[in-house]
């Protein structure tokens, strides 16, 4: 599925949704290769009740991180996004329409705690589809896919170690046409085979602390990032990838970290473009708008996609004034 087109991905999801409800030896095609589904469920798939586990209550998951995919269709870097004119920001309109279309499709194939789920107030309830509840749904084998980062490895392993050891990242597919993409050198195929990989946060040392405290902080950071003992905590205990990892030789102790490294080795990664915009836009504005106006609706229309994209772009332009 890594290099599959969006059309192939959409057909696969529909086939899997049908298979979960009534298993059969249906055929699917990915990257031009034909596959046949098993005619019956096995021990690994007996709990499945939906294709996707979605954290509907956590607007950052589809506001910050998911929206980063269409942003990469218009901007090549954080700095590119940060310095964009209002005219260039409007280049986001078509990618965001396709983002909404993809999110609509995804949230029509939901897994739940006790059976298939659907859009509505339950989906945006922290009691039902918050962070922990959705990780649990996925780790218990009730969904095939969960949009998360490598930081979730330990949470999943604490519930089901066997599931955690089988995990791998797949690119998020969106129905872009090449005419939707304005970022230099970016193609539909490149976006559809790449995953976001970047340093999500940075360490800070308090400038107002005593000199001895600042030195101790610097010494600790050096120790953590350069010594075998420090690296053991970063890699084995925290399940992170070292900031200076060489993908040609680096291996870590968990499946998700090694999956990211495999994409890094092929150069199939994309940057954190959303960090080039005002901090409130992606999650608190765009994500909240999706949560409050769309995830609670049973059906979305083409006009809904366009309304969301227009709102998100105009709010971004207003914030940048």
């Amino acid at each position: 599925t890594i290099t599959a087109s969006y059309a192939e991905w959409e057909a696969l999801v529909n086939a899997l949704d049908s298979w979960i409800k009534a298993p059969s030896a249906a055929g699917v095609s990915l990257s031009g290769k034909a596959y046949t589904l098993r005619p019956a469920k096995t021990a690994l798939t007996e709990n499945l009740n939906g294709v996707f586990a979605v954290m509907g209550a956590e607007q950052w998951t589809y506001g910050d991180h998911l929206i980063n995919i269409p942003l990469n269709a218009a901007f090549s870097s954080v700095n590119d996004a940060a310095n964009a004119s209002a005219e260039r920001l409007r280049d986001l309109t078509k990618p965001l329409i396709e983002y909404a279309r993809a999110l609509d499709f995804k949230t029509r194939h939901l897994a739940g705690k006790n059976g298939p789920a659907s859009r509505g107030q339950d989906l945006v309830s922290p009691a039902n589809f918050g962070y922990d509840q959705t990780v649990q749904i996925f780790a218990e084998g009730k969904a095939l896919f969960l949009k998360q980062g490598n930081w979730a490895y330990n949470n999943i392993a604490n519930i089901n170690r066997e599931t955690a050891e089988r995990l791998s990242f797949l690119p998020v597919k969106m129905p872009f046409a090449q005419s939707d993409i304005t970022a230099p050198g970016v193609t539909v195929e490149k976006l559809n085979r790449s995953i976001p990989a970047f340093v999500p946060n940075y360490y800070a040392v308090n400038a107002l602390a005593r000199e001895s405290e600042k030195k101790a902080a610097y010494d600790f950071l050096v120790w953590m990032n350069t010594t075998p003992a420090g690296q053991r905590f970063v890699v084995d205990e925290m399940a992170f990838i070292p900031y200076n990892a060489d993908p040609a030789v680096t291996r870590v102790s968990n499946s998700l970290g090694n999956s990211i490294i495999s994409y890094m080795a092929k150069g199939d990664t994309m940057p954190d473009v959303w960090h080039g915009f005002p901090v409130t836009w992606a999650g608190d504005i765009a994500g909240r708008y999706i949560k409050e106006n769309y995830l609670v609706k049973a059906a979305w229309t083409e006009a809904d996609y366009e309304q969301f994209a227009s709102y998100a772009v105009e709010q971004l332009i207003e914030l940048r004034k």
Side-chain angles (χ1 to χ4, degrees), residues 163-178:
T163 294
E165 292 305 320
R166 292 193 302 267
L167 296 178
S168 181
F169 284 109
L170 293 176
V172 173
K173 311 286 184 178
M174 292 195 179
F176 299 131
Q178 191 58 46

Side-chain angles (χ1 to χ4, degrees), residues 60-83:
W60 61 270
T61 66
Y62 46 87
D64 296 351
H65 295 141
L66 189 61
I67 213 169
N68 187 57
I69 309 299
L71 301 190
N72 272 268
F75 302 104
S76 58
S77 68
V78 172
N79 288 338
D80 187 25
N83 296 312

Side-chain angles (χ1 to χ4, degrees), residues 275-297:
H275 278 144
F277 294 147
V279 67
T280 58
W281 177 77
D284 295 340
I285 294 177
R288 183 175 181 180
Y289 193 77
I290 284 279
K291 177 179 177 179
E292 294 181 350
N293 295 280
Y294 295 102
L295 291 187
V296 295
K297 291 175 56 172

Side-chain angles (χ1 to χ4, degrees), residues 26-319:
V28 295
S29 178
L30 294 170
S31 302
K33 296 181 180 180
Y35 300 89
T36 302
L37 301 179
R38 286 180 177 269
K41 291 185 177 181
T42 67
L44 287 177
T45 56
E46 62 184 357
N47 292 332
L48 285 173
N49 65 55
V51 181
F52 299 101
V54 172
M55 298 177 180
E58 306 289 349
Q59 62 197 35
W60 61 270
T61 66
Y62 46 87
D64 296 351
H65 295 141
L66 189 61
I67 213 169
N68 187 57
I69 309 299
L71 301 190
N72 272 268
F75 302 104
S76 58
S77 68
V78 172
N79 288 338
D80 187 25
N83 296 312
S85 64
E87 181 180 1
R88 286 199 62 211
L89 291 177
R90 289 195 170 90
D91 288 342
L92 280 172
T93 302
K94 193 60 169 68
L96 287 175
I97 288 173
E98 300 311 314
Y99 156 88
R101 191 187 314 279
L103 185 60
D104 178 15
F105 177 72
K106 176 182 178 180
T107 52
R108 282 188 267 124
H109 303 278
L110 298 174
K113 181 177 181 181
N114 299 310
S118 59
R119 291 192 296 241
Q121 289 297 330
D122 280 352
L123 182 58
V124 297
S125 166
N128 298 319
F129 292 95
Y131 189 102
D132 292 338
Q133 293 86 346
T134 311
V135 167
Q136 183 104 17
I137 288 169
F138 177 73
E140 290 178 350
K142 296 173 181 176
L144 285 165
F145 304 110
L146 171 70
K147 190 187 67 60
Q148 264 290 1
N150 62 319
W151 57 81
Y153 176 85
N154 283 334
N155 299 79
I156 296 168
N158 287 338
I159 299 169
N160 190 324
R161 174 66 65 174
E162 291 184 3
T163 294
E165 292 305 320
R166 292 193 302 267
L167 296 178
S168 181
F169 284 109
L170 293 176
V172 173
K173 311 286 184 178
M174 292 195 179
F176 299 131
Q178 191 58 46
S179 59
D180 302 331
I181 299 173
T182 55
V186 176
T187 64
V188 171
E189 292 75 20
K190 174 68 172 176
L191 286 177
N192 272 339
R193 69 171 187 263
S194 299
I195 65 170
F198 47 82
V199 177
N201 292 293
Y202 299 88
Y203 298 112
V205 175
N206 188 348
L208 301 181
R210 294 192 300 271
E211 288 302 316
S212 59
E213 293 174 325
K214 287 191 282 188
K215 182 179 184 305
Y218 292 133
D219 290 345
F220 171 74
L221 291 175
V222 171
W223 173 85
M224 187 170 64
N225 287 286
T226 62
T227 68
Q231 288 289 276
R232 181 174 62 80
F233 280 102
V234 171
V235 175
D236 296 338
E237 302 298 328
M238 301 177 189
F240 293 156
I241 299 171
Y243 77 95
N244 57 351
D246 178 353
V249 298
T250 301
R251 293 294 178 271
V252 295
S253 59
N254 68 85
S255 59
L256 287 181
N258 286 322
S259 181
I260 290 176
I261 291 169
S262 72
Y263 283 90
M264 292 169 60
K266 292 181 292 186
D268 286 338
T269 63
M270 61 182 74
D272 53 335
V273 169
W274 63 280
H275 278 144
F277 294 147
V279 67
T280 58
W281 177 77
D284 295 340
I285 294 177
R288 183 175 181 180
Y289 193 77
I290 284 279
K291 177 179 177 179
E292 294 181 350
N293 295 280
Y294 295 102
L295 291 187
V296 295
K297 291 175 56 172
W300 302 1
T301 66
E302 192 73 27
D304 288 328
Y305 308 152
E306 295 171 359
Q307 180 185 22
F308 163 72
S310 176
Y311 172 83
V313 170
E314 293 309 314
Q315 288 293 308
L316 178 55
I317 291 172
E318 188 64 28
L319 282 174

